[in-house]
Amino acid sequence: MEKFRSVPMVVVTWSMVLMVWLMLGVMGGPVLHKVGGSKGWTEHGVNYTEWSTQENVYVGDWLIFKFDKRYYNVLEVNETSYESCMDRDFIKNVTRGGRDVVQLTEAKTYYFISAGGYCFHGMRLAVHVRDYREPAVPAPAPLSSAAVSAALFPSTVTSLWLLLPHFKLF
Ligand SMILES: *[C@@H]1O[C@H](CO)[C@@H](O)[C@H](O)[C@H]1NC(C)=O
Ligand SMILES: *[C@@H]1O[C@H](CO)[C@@H](O)[C@H](O)[C@H]1NC(C)=O
Ligand SMILES: *[C@@H]1O[C@H](CO)[C@@H](O)[C@H](O)[C@H]1NC(C)=O
């Protein structure tokens, strides 16, 4: 009996581990991605294609563009305009003060460019936004008290299962 009274405590512990895992991995809140890392949004030395492929961006996340607003700006455009660096008839002007954020609310590819010649100098960004947060670790199997008991007392459970067919014979 002493052994079995410890089971609820184990269940509580596992529930807490599960909750922490859910909060950190699956339900993790929106992430703010700093475009271009420490260099920010600039024509100097950032490959935004490479930056983008290294980021895991999900619906609800934010981008922050840090730039020198005397030269650069941030315009959301469609794919065609991104490919051709066309800054007319953009979708949205994200530019405000040079530390400007935009939330990515849909699972699609977003395109941003800096107007003028700067897009041709590399200031264009395509961000693939994904629909859900992939768990960082494999999901644990749903916990039942039977599973917990089995993990704690494998020999007991195994012997019960071995005995079961014999009972059925009678
Ligand atoms: C950026 O990196 C990608 C992938 O490595 C490469 O294909 C592309 O040519 C680079 N762009 C520039 C402007 O260097
Ligand atoms: C993209 O935007 C440009 C400029 O507004 C427009 O001419 C073009 O038709 C658009 N392309 C698509 C596929 O929507
Ligand atoms: C974008 O918005 C900023 C700030 O409101 C403004 O100064 C700038 O002229 C706008 N750019 C374009 C291309 O409309």
Side-chain angles (χ1 to χ4, degrees), residues 47 49-50 122:
N47 184 327
T49 306
E50 277 179 5

Side-chain angles (χ1 to χ4, degrees), residues 73 75 90 93 95-96:
N73 65 7
L75 303 174
F90 50 84
N93 181 1
T95 320
R96 291 291 174 268

